[in-house]
Amino acid sequence: MLTNLIYYLYNIKTDYIRKNKDSYIFIYKDIFYIFKPTTLNEEYIFYITKYFVYNDFFHILIKNKNNKYISKYENKDYVLMKVRLKSNRLLTVNDIIDNNFVISINNINWVDLWKRKIDQVEMYLYNNEISIYNLTIINYYLELGECAINYYINNVKNDFFPITFCHKRINKDFDLYDYFSITDIVFDHQVRDIAEYIKCDIYNDKEIVLDKYKSLINYKDKELLVSRLLFPCYFFDIIDDFIINNRDFNEFSSFFTNMEVYETNLLKIVNYITK
């Protein structure tokens, strides 16, 4: 049982552990804990922990009896975190904007990464047969990726930006406990998280509600944000999954049944924050 494992690894005795999303949560001595899977390795976690000393919101990592951050459970890597927050709620865009703990000033090389992603898909298309319908969808999003690159090159004048804590991906169900977890932390400009948060609305199959983005009208890195919004990470995540896992492309188009809604939402939010 997981309760026995927690006691064995961390000397924390609790009678009740509840599953929440992909994690397990429990209370010990009136403190809330989260046992959560991670894709990070031990060396990277050790490296990033020194930055959390100066941040009062991110959860505190707990080492196990082997003096390691990562523990194994059901063949997955987990970390145990002590929660600093007193309450939880869904994440807002203002939470991301306010979390601006600057770590360094670095060059943003998104364009090179985007070009490589486009090249990889084009190479796959060159070597494999794809139906005309799926090819139409793929070409649409590749052109949107090129549009993001051109917008960045023509409008973003400064390549050096403040770097802070960001996440590999933010999904529509993110709450504060998810946001202040270290399990998928990367270092990047906060625009990364803002754009991914907005894209959850763009690709949500419903018309986007603009009122909650009022604070972005005066956002100082607006051009950087627009370029990030234009680049369709949603598409690249899906096609990467199909290519890497050798999935049947007959199912591919089912992920893009509301392309007109996506396009409308993208245009609405871009026009809204750039007006």
Side-chain angles (χ1 to χ4, degrees), residues 18 53 67 117 148 153-154 183 222 225 265:
R18 180 165 64 89
V53 175
N67 201 34
K117 282 182 171 291
I153 292 171
N154 293 323
T183 51
K222 197 174 293 187
L225 175 58
N265 284 341

mmCIF file of all heavy atoms in Angstrom, residues 18 53 67 117 148 153-154 183 222 225 265:
data_model
loop_
_atom_site.group_PDB
_atom_site.id
_atom_site.type_symbol
_atom_site.label_atom_id
_atom_site.label_comp_id
_atom_site.label_asym_id
_atom_site.label_seq_id
_atom_site.Cartn_x
_atom_site.Cartn_y
_atom_site.Cartn_z
ATOM 1 N N ARG A 18 -5.309 10.140 -0.622
ATOM 2 C CA ARG A 18 -6.352 10.245 -1.653
ATOM 3 C C ARG A 18 -5.726 10.528 -3.019
ATOM 4 O O ARG A 18 -4.798 11.325 -3.122
ATOM 5 C CB ARG A 18 -7.332 11.367 -1.296
ATOM 6 C CG ARG A 18 -8.462 11.550 -2.301
ATOM 7 C CD ARG A 18 -9.566 12.408 -1.703
ATOM 8 N NE ARG A 18 -9.127 13.757 -1.421
ATOM 9 C CZ ARG A 18 -9.187 14.767 -2.307
ATOM 10 N NH1 ARG A 18 -9.641 14.555 -3.531
ATOM 11 N NH2 ARG A 18 -8.799 15.974 -1.966
ATOM 12 N N VAL A 53 14.558 28.349 -2.905
ATOM 13 C CA VAL A 53 14.802 28.895 -1.562
ATOM 14 C C VAL A 53 14.275 30.320 -1.454
ATOM 15 O O VAL A 53 13.820 30.764 -0.401
ATOM 16 C CB VAL A 53 16.307 28.854 -1.235
ATOM 17 C CG1 VAL A 53 16.589 29.535 0.094
ATOM 18 C CG2 VAL A 53 16.809 27.420 -1.232
ATOM 19 N N ASN A 67 18.195 9.832 0.677
ATOM 20 C CA ASN A 67 18.704 11.174 0.393
ATOM 21 C C ASN A 67 18.509 11.555 -1.081
ATOM 22 O O ASN A 67 19.319 12.278 -1.662
ATOM 23 C CB ASN A 67 20.181 11.293 0.778
ATOM 24 C CG ASN A 67 20.616 12.727 0.999
ATOM 25 O OD1 ASN A 67 19.837 13.557 1.481
ATOM 26 N ND2 ASN A 67 21.847 13.041 0.625
ATOM 27 N N LYS A 117 11.210 21.994 -35.504
ATOM 28 C CA LYS A 117 9.946 21.250 -35.441
ATOM 29 C C LYS A 117 9.285 21.174 -36.817
ATOM 30 O O LYS A 117 8.797 20.118 -37.229
ATOM 31 C CB LYS A 117 8.994 21.909 -34.433
ATOM 32 C CG LYS A 117 9.309 21.599 -32.976
ATOM 33 C CD LYS A 117 8.298 22.240 -32.065
ATOM 34 C CE LYS A 117 8.451 21.772 -30.621
ATOM 35 N NZ LYS A 117 8.073 20.359 -30.423
ATOM 36 N N ALA A 148 4.296 32.388 -37.334
ATOM 37 C CA ALA A 148 4.819 32.742 -36.006
ATOM 38 C C ALA A 148 6.284 33.151 -36.096
ATOM 39 O O ALA A 148 6.712 34.136 -35.470
ATOM 40 C CB ALA A 148 4.651 31.559 -35.054
ATOM 41 N N ILE A 153 10.452 37.429 -36.129
ATOM 42 C CA ILE A 153 11.609 38.061 -36.773
ATOM 43 C C ILE A 153 11.341 39.531 -37.091
ATOM 44 O O ILE A 153 12.216 40.391 -36.917
ATOM 45 C CB ILE A 153 11.987 37.289 -38.054
ATOM 46 C CG1 ILE A 153 12.532 35.903 -37.685
ATOM 47 C CG2 ILE A 153 13.005 38.059 -38.886
ATOM 48 C CD1 ILE A 153 12.738 34.981 -38.871
ATOM 49 N N ASN A 154 10.114 39.840 -37.497
ATOM 50 C CA ASN A 154 9.785 41.196 -37.930
ATOM 51 C C ASN A 154 9.359 42.122 -36.790
ATOM 52 O O ASN A 154 9.400 43.351 -36.966
ATOM 53 C CB ASN A 154 8.667 41.156 -38.982
ATOM 54 C CG ASN A 154 9.119 40.513 -40.276
ATOM 55 O OD1 ASN A 154 10.255 40.691 -40.709
ATOM 56 N ND2 ASN A 154 8.230 39.745 -40.897
ATOM 57 N N THR A 183 7.318 19.533 -10.728
ATOM 58 C CA THR A 183 7.455 18.285 -11.474
ATOM 59 C C THR A 183 7.664 18.454 -12.970
ATOM 60 O O THR A 183 8.065 17.508 -13.643
ATOM 61 C CB THR A 183 6.222 17.398 -11.243
ATOM 62 O OG1 THR A 183 5.037 18.166 -11.500
ATOM 63 C CG2 THR A 183 6.188 16.883 -9.821
ATOM 64 N N LYS A 222 4.334 42.181 -25.494
ATOM 65 C CA LYS A 222 3.167 41.800 -26.286
ATOM 66 C C LYS A 222 3.559 41.104 -27.589
ATOM 67 O O LYS A 222 2.932 40.122 -28.002
ATOM 68 C CB LYS A 222 2.344 43.055 -26.573
ATOM 69 C CG LYS A 222 0.933 42.800 -27.011
ATOM 70 C CD LYS A 222 0.164 44.108 -27.126
ATOM 71 C CE LYS A 222 -0.043 44.767 -25.792
ATOM 72 N NZ LYS A 222 -0.920 45.951 -25.866
ATOM 73 N N LEU A 225 4.557 37.595 -26.961
ATOM 74 C CA LEU A 225 3.372 36.798 -26.652
ATOM 75 C C LEU A 225 2.613 36.421 -27.916
ATOM 76 O O LEU A 225 2.195 35.267 -28.084
ATOM 77 C CB LEU A 225 2.460 37.575 -25.686
ATOM 78 C CG LEU A 225 1.112 36.934 -25.356
ATOM 79 C CD1 LEU A 225 1.297 35.539 -24.754
ATOM 80 C CD2 LEU A 225 0.317 37.826 -24.402
ATOM 81 N N ASN A 265 -10.817 31.964 -32.541
ATOM 82 C CA ASN A 265 -10.319 32.274 -31.200
ATOM 83 C C ASN A 265 -8.930 32.909 -31.247
ATOM 84 O O ASN A 265 -8.655 33.866 -30.516
ATOM 85 C CB ASN A 265 -10.269 31.006 -30.355
ATOM 86 C CG ASN A 265 -11.635 30.572 -29.862
ATOM 87 O OD1 ASN A 265 -12.571 31.360 -29.831
ATOM 88 N ND2 ASN A 265 -11.764 29.315 -29.485
#
